[in-house]
Amino acid sequence: MVERSHKPAAISAPSAQAETGSVIADAEKVTLTLPTGESVEILLYGATIISWKAKGAENLWLSSAAKLDGTKAVRGGIPLVFPVFGTSTDATVAALPQHGFARVSKWEILGKTSDSATSVQVDLGLSPQNVPEHLREKWRFPFGLIYTVTLSQNNLETKMLVRNEGNDTIKFHILFHTYFQVPDATKVAVTGLNGVTYKDKVQGGATITEANTNVTITGETDRVYAQVPGEVIIESDGKPMYKVVRTDLDDVVVWNPWKEAASKIGDFRPEDGWKAMLCVEAGSVTEWQTLEGGSVWEGGQVLSLL
């Protein structure tokens, strides 16, 4: 079991007149709600955030065919990538499936760590005993993950603490695979990437320097931007929608499958759902994070509505 040095409070049912944020949990899901109506839903399977409602709207895209029963990784929301991004030939992770095991493991609720009228926070934990045995055998390092989700009126913060509980140095990738809901992907632009070098997976892994101030989606897009210097903003029809601010996460992935690739993804529905989503993913994936025995790493993102 994962433990904090300062243990969070137990989750209790809110009163009918609650003036602070509430956390309601059952065996499958945790829901955070503010008195002003904002909410977040987190599946314990994969600790996947499947809904973020604020300003009267849903801000995350979730496939209508997404499996929410723990049979496969969730398509949409904010899946967690750890300890490998994609697949790798590195001996320590080569046997793991794409994107590792965090998104396909059952996490435990550690408790509510803070609440007020304007924000509420919860911690979830993952340790080796929570990982399916067939995957645990493929990555035998002792570790602990603590995932902190904080909801406020216009922001959603997701933060991960990685603890190496063994003696050997471990290395890992980590990424928040955020699917943003957008009105029309053909009319969105991403700013903050100009001058940044990226690997274009659609062009066979070609290394390119971004020459555009506004990165638009005109076809299948799958780019890994390395060492992004500052905040990233998603605009729709020239109007800012979302801001992504990262802490100790140097890289940003921009992904949209477009029509042809979306039609080949079995759980991507509706087939034209690509028009309503854009993945802008904060992570550390172009280089390995290394962590000595007994050490801790922490990084995260804050998503803001604009």
Side-chain angles (χ1 to χ4, degrees):
M1 178 177 177
V2 179
E3 292 188 352
R4 268 196 183 278
S5 55
H6 299 289
K7 297 192 73 172
I11 295 172
S12 57
S15 68
Q17 303 298 320
E19 296 180 355
T20 62
S22 68
V23 178
I24 300 175
D26 59 30
E28 304 299 331
K29 185 173 66 174
V30 185
T31 302
L32 283 62
T33 306
L34 292 178
T36 44
E38 297 82 4
S39 66
V40 162
E41 295 181 18
I42 313 166
L43 283 185
L44 294 183
Y45 179 75
T48 305
I49 296 175
I50 57 171
S51 174
W52 169 34
K53 293 178 181 176
K55 291 188 175 180
E58 177 60 66
N59 298 296
L60 298 177
W61 183 85
L62 183 68
S63 169
S64 61
K67 301 295 185 183
L68 306 181
D69 58 0
T71 57
K72 67 177 297 185
V74 176
R75 175 70 63 186
I78 309 181
L80 300 176
V81 173
F82 177 91
V84 61
F85 174 65
T87 58
S88 173
T89 57
D90 186 279
T92 62
V93 295
L96 290 173
Q98 177 169 295
H99 294 337
F101 53 72
R103 65 180 187 153
V104 292
S105 298
K106 185 74 172 284
W107 292 59
E108 60 181 317
I109 303 168
L110 300 183
K112 180 171 63 174
T113 50
S114 67
D115 62 63
S116 70
T118 57
S119 70
V120 61
Q121 178 176 299
V122 69
D123 286 344
L124 304 176
L126 185 72
S127 55
Q129 54 263 44
N130 303 115
V131 177
E133 185 176 356
H134 72 284
L135 296 176
R136 187 167 68 243
E137 292 175 349
K138 297 175 180 178
W139 205 74
R140 292 185 171 276
F141 301 98
F143 73 94
L145 301 182
I146 296 177
Y147 184 37
T148 302
V149 178
T150 306
L151 172 68
S152 55
Q153 290 178 332
N154 291 313
N155 302 321
L156 175 62
E157 180 179 11
T158 63
K159 183 169 58 178
M160 187 71 74
L161 181 148
V162 181
R163 187 167 60 222
N164 182 352
E165 298 184 344
N167 296 318
D168 297 329
T169 298
I170 64 172
K171 55 184 179 181
F172 60 90
H173 294 149
I174 191 161
L175 177 132
F176 300 99
H177 198 310
T178 307
Y179 288 72
F180 288 98
Q181 181 91 29
V182 297
D184 184 345
T186 67
K187 296 181 180 180
V188 301
V190 183
T191 67
L193 300 173
N194 186 38
V196 178
T197 299
Y198 66 90
K199 179 182 288 187
D200 194 325
K201 294 186 178 182
V202 177
Q203 298 189 43
T207 299
I208 302 171
T209 299
E210 183 59 70
N212 299 299
T213 300
N214 296 325
V215 177
T216 56
I217 308 302
T218 58
E220 182 182 357
T221 302
D222 193 354
R223 301 176 179 179
V224 182
Y225 289 85
Q227 302 293 316
V228 178
E231 67 188 32
V232 173
I233 292 176
I234 301 171
E235 299 179 350
S236 176
D237 250 345
K239 299 178 181 178
M241 281 192 74
Y242 305 106
K243 178 171 65 175
V244 181
V245 176
R246 296 158 292 111
T247 301
D248 292 328
L249 296 171
D250 291 335
D251 308 324
V252 173
V253 176
V254 178
W255 180 68
N256 182 289
W258 207 254
K259 181 178 180 179
E260 290 78 12
S263 68
K264 298 175 184 177
I265 302 173
D267 61 352
F268 195 104
R269 293 292 182 274
E271 284 195 9
D272 65 352
W274 61 269
K275 295 179 181 179
M277 56 74 64
L278 179 65
C279 283
V280 176
E281 312 162 25
S284 179
V285 296
T286 59
E287 301 287 344
W288 294 102
Q289 288 284 350
T290 58
L291 195 59
E292 295 180 351
S295 299
V296 169
W297 175 93
E298 193 168 16
Q301 65 174 357
V302 177
L303 312 178
S304 301
L305 300 180
L306 301 176

